[in-house]
């Protein structure tokens, strides 16, 4: 095992709750739940005080109320969480050589080679202190030889903690932990291994690679490597240019606005589906049009992190109305989503009704089975451009 990497994993503590506490300090120290309050609502996030009662994200609001009747429910505000996330990213990005925004509330920082100029642990400590001072939001970090161990170190020292695991300490750190602590090890895999008596990382790490492959396929080898403290995945530079998009050149130049709005809807549904399949959220949407004289005009907008069709369609149409000024025939329409981070849609978890997101999930399930074009809106069925 080599110890030539210096990877910092920084993770906000109960991020959504922390943002709410910053806005309303009276919530501090209380069991706070972010989510819908009706029986059909879902917990999007909760404070550490609420977690002591067994409450966790994705739990139904009804169950959360039973476990902790005195819990304070707060309807979430994705605008505020997105702004806070970008605020933190800006502070980190300006001060480190290589950063990956892994999700709305966590970052990986590669300080490899910089330890000759900075003591990495001291630097990480000072950087964490700066984020807390500048944002008034709590944050924890783990420092180790790769992304897996640094993330697990962070999880062990949260909330409001710091933990450095050197190369020689990795095995002793990992061995006593539950296999549930391994990033990427899902519930089904946990149950399968537990039923075989494999509950600690020490036990898992002793299994032969061939046996792990037989048990779990290719994913088994990845899990085994993580159990042994091995992870070669690089810190991927965070870039605002990272994006997915689509564009369409018309068969004939057109000014048919009904057709154009339907096309924008179809394009957004396509890229939003791709977004969800990649388990990502977007914070920026761009519309591009090309007039019949080949003039291109682009308009973009920053938005709260989302992957939900309805939010993106509404914003795309709004941008089109802003950018289409000449009332000239159009040749091309394009939609692009950028500022992507890993994550799952949270917006509808804050409302008392999940019908909209449930519909999107059902449509995605059909698409995975029968293809991306297997289900669409009725208004788009006759779209021919």
């Amino acid at each position: 095992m080599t110890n030539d990497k210096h990877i910092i994993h920084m993770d906000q503590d109960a991020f959504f709750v922390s943002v709410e506490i910053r806005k309303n300090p009276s919530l501090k120290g209380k069991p706070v739940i972010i989510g819908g309050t009706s029986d059909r609502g879902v917990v999007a996030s909760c404070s550490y005080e609420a977690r002591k009662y067994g409450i966790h994200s994705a739990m139904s609001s009804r169950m959360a109320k039973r476990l902790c009747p005195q819990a304070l429910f707060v309807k979430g505000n994705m605008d505020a969480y997105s702004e806070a996330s970008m605020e933190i990213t800006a502070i980190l990005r300006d001060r480190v050589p290589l950063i990956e925004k892994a999700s709305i509330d966590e970052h990986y920082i590669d300080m490899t080679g910089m330890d000759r100029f900075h003591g990495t642990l001291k630097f990480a400590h000072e950087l964490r202190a700066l984020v807390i001072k500048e944002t008034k939001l709590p944050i924890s970090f783990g420092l180790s030889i790769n992304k897996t161990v640094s993330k697990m170190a962070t999880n062990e020292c949260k909330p409001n903690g710091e933990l450095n695991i050197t190369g020689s300490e990795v095995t002793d750190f990992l061995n006593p932990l539950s296999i549930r602590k391994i990033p990427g090890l899902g519930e089904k895999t946990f149950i399968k291994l537990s039923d075989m008596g494999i509950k600690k990382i020490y036990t898992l790490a002793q299994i032969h690679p061939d046996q792990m492959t037989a048990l779990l396929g290719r994913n088994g080898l990845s899990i085994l490597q993580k159990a042994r403290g091995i992870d070669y995945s690089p810190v991927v530079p965070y870039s605002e240019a990272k994006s997915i998009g689509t564009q369409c050149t018309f068969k004939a130049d057109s000014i048919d606005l009904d057709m154009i709005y339907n096309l924008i809807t179809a394009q957004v549904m396509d890229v939003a589906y791709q977004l969800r399949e990649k388990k990502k959220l977007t914070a920026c949407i761009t519309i591009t049009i090309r007039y019949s004289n080949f003039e291109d005009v682009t308009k973009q907008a920053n938005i709260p992190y989302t992957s939900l069709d309805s939010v993106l369609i509404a914003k795309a149409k709004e941008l089109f109305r802003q950018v289409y000024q000449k009332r000239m025939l159009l040749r091309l329409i394009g939609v692009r989503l950028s500022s992507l981070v890993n994550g799952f849609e949270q917006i509808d978890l804050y409302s008392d009704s999940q019908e909209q997101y449930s519909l999107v999930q059902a449509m995605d399930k059909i698409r995975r089975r029968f293809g991306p074009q297997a289900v669409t809106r009725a208004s788009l069925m006759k779209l021919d451009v």
Side-chain angles (χ1 to χ4, degrees), residues 148 152 174 182-184 221-231:
T148 290
M152 294 174 73
L174 294 178
I182 299 175
L221 290 179
S222 174
I223 290 173
L224 179 60
Q225 283 195 318
K226 290 178 180 180
R228 294 175 175 178
I230 301 169
D231 179 6

Side-chain angles (χ1 to χ4, degrees), residues 166-192:
T166 65
S168 62
E169 297 170 331
V170 168
T171 300
D172 289 341
F173 166 68
L174 294 178
N175 278 346
L177 299 178
S178 165
I179 61 171
R180 192 187 288 272
K181 300 292 184 72
I182 299 175
L185 192 149
E187 186 66 22
K188 291 182 180 179
T189 301
F190 171 74
I191 293 172
K192 185 173 185 177

Side-chain angles (χ1 to χ4, degrees), residues 70 79 133 147 151 203 206 220 252 280 335 354 367:
Q70 70 272 33
D79 285 344
K133 178 183 177 182
K147 291 168 76 173
K151 181 179 178 70
T203 308
Q206 309 308 309
K280 292 186 179 293
V335 175
Q354 296 182 72
R367 291 182 180 115

Side-chain angles (χ1 to χ4, degrees), residues 146-326:
N146 58 49
K147 291 168 76 173
T148 290
V149 182
S150 64
K151 181 179 178 70
M152 294 174 73
T154 306
N155 291 338
E156 288 305 297
C157 71
K158 293 180 72 172
N160 203 32
E162 305 177 359
L163 184 57
N164 177 31
I165 305 296
T166 65
S168 62
E169 297 170 331
V170 168
T171 300
D172 289 341
F173 166 68
L174 294 178
N175 278 346
L177 299 178
S178 165
I179 61 171
R180 192 187 288 272
K181 300 292 184 72
I182 299 175
L185 192 149
E187 186 66 22
K188 291 182 180 179
T189 301
F190 171 74
I191 293 172
K192 185 173 185 177
L193 293 174
S194 294
D195 288 345
M196 298 174 62
I198 304 169
K199 297 184 178 181
K200 297 291 185 181
I201 289 179
Y202 171 80
T203 308
L204 179 59
Q206 309 308 309
I207 298 178
H208 192 277
D210 291 344
Q211 187 178 358
M212 282 297 291
T213 302
L215 281 172
L216 302 172
R218 285 190 302 174
N219 189 45
L221 290 179
S222 174
I223 290 173
L224 179 60
Q225 283 195 318
K226 290 178 180 180
R228 294 175 175 178
I230 301 169
D231 179 6
Y232 300 112
S233 60
V235 172
V236 180
Y238 174 67
S239 171
E240 295 292 347
K242 190 192 308 180
S243 64
I244 57 174
T246 185
Q247 63 182 35
C248 177
T249 302
F250 304 151
K251 292 178 181 178
D253 296 356
S254 177
I255 199 172
D256 182 344
L257 291 183
D258 287 339
M259 179 277 291
I260 290 170
Y261 281 125
N262 281 336
L263 176 60
I264 290 172
T265 297
Q267 289 179 316
V268 171
M269 290 177 67
D270 176 44
V271 292
Y273 171 64
Q274 294 180 50
L275 197 67
R276 293 189 295 273
E277 288 301 283
K278 294 176 183 292
K279 298 181 175 61
K280 292 186 179 293
L281 302 172
T282 180
C284 183
I285 182 169
T286 303
I287 286 286
T288 298
I289 64 172
R290 179 174 297 159
Y291 288 107
S292 56
N293 63 357
F294 288 92
E295 176 189 356
D296 288 347
V297 186
T298 297
K299 183 80 173 178
Q300 73 174 33
N302 293 323
I303 56 176
Y305 284 108
T306 187
S307 64
L308 203 59
D309 290 5
S310 59
V311 176
L312 294 169
I313 290 169
K315 179 56 70 172
K317 290 181 177 180
E318 177 186 327
L319 289 176
F320 173 77
R321 287 190 289 270
Q322 293 173 8
V323 78
Y324 182 50
Q325 297 293 330
K326 292 190 174 183

Side-chain angles (χ1 to χ4, degrees), residues 23-78:
K23 183 170 58 178
N24 181 6
S26 69
L27 297 173
K28 188 173 183 179
K30 298 177 181 178
V32 178
I33 295 174
I34 310 294
T37 57
S38 76
D39 288 344
R40 301 187 66 182
V42 175
V43 175
S45 181
C46 59
S47 66
Y48 286 95
E49 290 78 9
R51 295 179 195 186
K52 294 176 182 178
Y53 293 87
I55 297 170
H56 56 78
S57 61
M59 174 182 285
S60 71
S61 297
R62 176 187 294 180
M63 176 60 72
K65 289 176 184 177
R66 289 178 180 174
L67 292 173
C68 184
Q70 70 272 33
L72 303 175
F73 277 80
V74 178
K75 187 174 182 179
N77 183 341
M78 201 61 185

